[in-house]
Amino acid sequence: MIYDSLNRRTFLQGGAAAVAGLGRPFPAQAADERSLVVAIPSSPSTFDPINQGNHDAMVVNQLIFENLIEIDGEGRRRPLLAKSLPAISEDRTEYTFELRDDVAFQNGQPFTAEDVKYSYDYILDPANKALRRSVWTNIESVEILARHKVRFKMKAPFRPFLDYMTKYMGIFPAGSREKYGNEIFQQRPEGLGTGPGIFVSARSNDVVEFRRNPNYWRKDLPGWDRLRVRIVSEEAARIASLMSKSVHIIGAPPVRDYLRLRQAKAQGIAGASRPALGSMMLMIHNTRKPPFDDPDFRKAVSLATDRKTIAEKIFNGLVEPSAVPAPASAWWYNAKVAEGLAFNLEKAKAHLARSRYASGAEFELLYSSQGYLLDVADAALFIQASLARLGVKVKLQPLETGQLIEQVFAGNQTSALMAVIGPSDPTFIIQGIYTPNQVMTRSSGYSNDRLNTLLADSFRVDDETSLGPILADMQAILAADSPSTWIGAVHSFNLWRSNVQGFEPNTGITLRLTDAAVADLR
């Protein structure tokens, strides 16, 4: 089998060198100070919550900035800066929030409805060129009703509105953009959020340091006094740092090492996984560029992709195979449509023969060299070998995560293999990649008028009976056009030291650290 020939780095190979790279001593701290250290694969592109494109690095934004609603570890909506979930008008175009009156920003400024309006007005202003603006353009206006009461008026019903608050926006103080300037938000946002961690310092590709917010509105949290988010791009180095006790929690652990440590019940190590229903690992094809400008060629690539082998043999069950942009375990999964794209080399050859590239083709496949969300390097090798059987040559091009995201968001790639993760909303990925004027629209270069209409229809309903047929039709359209090759939904999985309490993987994959604490002092 092709997967047997993959040459993967053995467990802890190079580990000693990796740990040496982490050996810079921590700054001096009090003897009784509670310290938590985590490792993620790549540096934040910015600390500004409206411009963060690196999902692994969203952990730093969410420690500083909060929103009215959060999605908890199990994917459920919970009030955060709001006292409760909002009152929603009968026509689903108005959301009225009662805000907490016991919250202050880290700089001491009281949190009020004015800050909410200011923050959303800022991101919605096209002049500010916010990366995440497209997520919020369904908002028509934000109205202050009282000091701690605010109403959002939508242009049309928008079902996912609350689900997007955790990841793609944070509330900052009224007037702060004019007072401090964008550079402060991007590089050193000390005191500008309401969250549990106050920014202290950052060294690119090395470490971001936080101190506990002593006036955090959740009085018993966070469970640490000092938090360091280390940037450790090498997967073997992240494992080595965990084994050497220099790190308490690691993000994006290598799949095989994760399974090995879990199955061996390694002393001092804990771990767990959880399905991320808002995720998808896929090849994002640029339909404006040859050879992916031909629907038959795209269909051929999809049919030649053995998702089951990738999921079982490379990711050991931590990827759930799916040929459509929906997890197979999700209630909205269209099994009949997915079956039409199941691995079938003969059907793939037939579609290739009907394409403009019947004699074969060559394309470059980008992927992250740093294990963004999960390490896809072995899957890229497998896909390269699989498509060679179809007469298609794939040139693999690993990039640093920031470079990959930049190229994909700009639509410069021919194809890119990556994992995409959002809230557990069935339309998030579809909207973000395959509909106009979204953050990843350029990555696919694809649009379909019927799909756009169905998406708008889906925003008007919030029950499975009404939503199910709409989602099924959307998957059918995308399967027919195959603008991407969907491989499967990923699981959120982490490893941590067994003396860490209050931490677990979450459906959004980004590390949730507010409740985490170390049982004994470092």
Side-chain angles (χ1 to χ4, degrees):
M1 297 292 288
I2 296 171
Y3 61 82
D4 289 330
S5 67
L6 299 177
N7 180 19
R8 184 174 172 80
R9 184 184 295 105
T10 56
F11 177 55
L12 291 184
Q13 179 181 351
V19 173
L22 296 173
R24 183 181 289 107
F26 293 151
Q29 61 189 60
D32 61 348
E33 188 174 58
R34 300 171 301 169
S35 177
L36 181 68
V37 186
V38 304
I40 61 174
S42 55
S43 285
S45 56
T46 178
F47 295 109
D48 192 339
I50 69 174
N51 287 310
Q52 182 60 265
N54 181 336
H55 191 93
D56 281 327
M58 284 182 184
V59 58
V60 300
N61 303 80
Q62 293 173 19
L63 286 165
I64 302 168
F65 299 97
E66 297 178 312
N67 213 320
L68 308 188
I69 301 297
E70 70 169 348
I71 302 300
D72 71 10
E74 296 180 8
R76 299 168 300 190
R77 299 170 182 170
R78 300 292 191 198
L80 194 60
L81 297 180
K83 286 184 178 180
S84 59
L85 295 178
I88 304 175
S89 64
E90 187 174 349
D91 65 358
R92 304 191 66 81
T93 62
E94 293 185 356
Y95 292 74
T96 302
F97 293 87
E98 297 280 354
L99 306 179
R100 298 189 66 93
D101 59 6
D102 58 349
V103 177
F105 288 94
Q106 295 164 354
N107 62 9
Q109 179 176 326
F111 162 73
T112 70
E114 182 183 3
D115 305 304
V116 177
K117 177 174 172 57
Y118 173 82
S119 299
Y120 278 93
D121 284 352
Y122 185 89
I123 195 173
L124 286 168
D125 186 346
N128 296 322
K129 299 179 180 180
L131 176 67
R132 297 294 179 180
R133 177 178 179 271
S134 62
V135 174
W136 306 108
T137 51
N138 280 289
I139 298 172
E140 182 178 281
S141 63
V142 183
E143 180 184 1
I144 297 173
L145 303 180
R147 181 173 171 81
H148 292 102
K149 189 173 184 178
V150 66
R151 177 187 295 142
F152 287 76
K153 175 69 175 177
M154 315 304 289
K155 298 174 182 176
F158 187 49
R159 186 198 64 257
F161 172 53
L162 301 178
D163 297 323
Y164 293 173
M165 283 191 170
T166 299
K167 290 177 174 293
Y168 306 116
M169 179 59 177
I171 305 301
F172 34 88
S176 57
R177 296 283 174 167
E178 295 79 7
K179 181 176 181 179
Y180 298 106
N182 286 332
E183 183 180 346
I184 296 297
F185 278 84
Q186 293 165 3
Q187 298 180 15
R188 47 186 190 280
E190 183 176 358
L192 295 180
T194 61
I198 297 177
F199 175 86
V200 174
S201 64
R203 294 190 293 267
S204 182
N205 296 312
D206 184 5
V207 65
V208 183
E209 186 172 350
F210 298 88
R211 60 185 173 88
R212 185 180 191 272
N213 178 1
N215 299 312
Y216 187 46
W217 58 273
R218 289 192 275 192
K219 301 305 181 185
D220 296 329
L221 296 174
W224 37 263
D225 297 307
R226 183 80 58 138
L227 170 66
R228 296 174 184 87
V229 179
R230 291 213 176 269
I231 315 304
V232 185
S233 60
E234 275 289 324
E235 59 183 31
R238 289 197 298 280
I239 291 290
S241 66
L242 187 70
M243 300 297 289
S244 68
K245 303 181 182 181
S246 61
V247 163
H248 296 113
I249 305 169
I250 61 173
V255 171
R256 293 187 185 180
D257 294 340
Y258 167 81
L259 292 168
R260 181 182 294 111
L261 290 169
R262 295 294 294 135
Q263 292 166 359
K265 297 182 179 179
Q267 186 175 6
I269 302 295
S273 66
R274 172 178 281 160
L277 293 180
S279 71
M280 184 59 55
M281 185 172 75
L282 72 166
M283 295 168 63
I284 304 177
H285 309 314
N286 191 331
T287 62
R288 298 183 303 270
K289 292 186 177 184
F292 293 106
D293 56 346
D294 187 295
D296 274 304
F297 183 83
R298 300 196 299 263
K299 189 73 70 69
V301 170
S302 188
L303 288 162
T305 301
D306 187 350
R307 299 167 180 84
K308 184 177 180 181
T309 295
I310 292 173
E312 293 181 358
K313 302 299 183 179
I314 297 177
F315 295 105
N316 295 88
L318 291 171
V319 167
E320 180 183 315
S322 175
V324 293
S329 60
W331 63 264
W332 61 90
Y333 175 70
N334 190 330
K336 182 178 180 180
V337 167
E339 182 59 29
L341 289 177
F343 174 62
N344 188 316
L345 195 57
E346 293 308 310
K347 285 177 65 175
K349 290 177 179 177
H351 277 281
L352 182 65
R354 291 197 292 268
S355 77
R356 294 194 294 273
Y357 308 99
S359 59
E362 179 177 347
F363 69 89
E364 182 180 70
L365 181 65
L366 307 183
Y367 67 95
S368 174
S369 61
Q370 297 175 307
Y372 177 60
L373 300 180
L374 77 169
D375 184 5
V376 301
D378 287 355
L381 286 169
F382 181 83
I383 289 167
Q384 181 187 53
S386 298
L387 294 184
R389 298 168 62 187
L390 193 63
V392 175
K393 184 177 180 180
V394 180
K395 179 184 177 182
L396 300 181
Q397 181 60 58
L399 294 178
E400 182 269 335
T401 297
Q403 293 177 324
L404 174 70
I405 293 171
E406 180 180 353
Q407 292 300 307
V408 172
F409 278 29
N412 293 332
Q413 92 292 357
T414 300
S415 186
L417 176 65
M418 61 189 300
V420 178
I421 176 71
S424 300
D425 172 72
T427 58
F428 174 79
I429 290 176
I430 294 174
Q431 180 186 12
I433 301 178
Y434 310 114
T435 64
N437 303 315
Q438 298 298 312
V439 68
M440 294 183 70
T441 297
R442 294 176 182 173
S443 68
S444 68
Y446 171 83
S447 185
N448 180 292
D449 290 342
R450 176 60 179 158
L451 182 72
N452 299 338
T453 298
L454 288 169
L455 180 68
D457 291 343
S458 79
F459 291 159
R460 295 184 173 92
V461 295
D462 200 15
D463 63 282
E464 294 183 14
T465 301
S466 303
L467 193 55
I470 299 173
L471 298 176
D473 287 349
M474 293 172 74
Q475 292 171 54
I477 290 170
L478 288 167
D481 291 344
S482 294
S484 296
T485 296
W486 301 284
I487 295 171
V490 306
H491 282 217
S492 171
F493 56 99
N494 295 104
L495 291 170
W496 58 91
R497 300 298 308 180
S498 56
N499 62 340
V500 172
Q501 299 175 341
F503 176 81
E504 61 181 0
N506 80 92
T507 57
I509 293 185
T510 299
L511 300 178
R512 294 172 59 87
L513 301 175
T514 301
D515 297 301
V518 181
D520 55 346
L521 298 178
R522 285 186 51 87

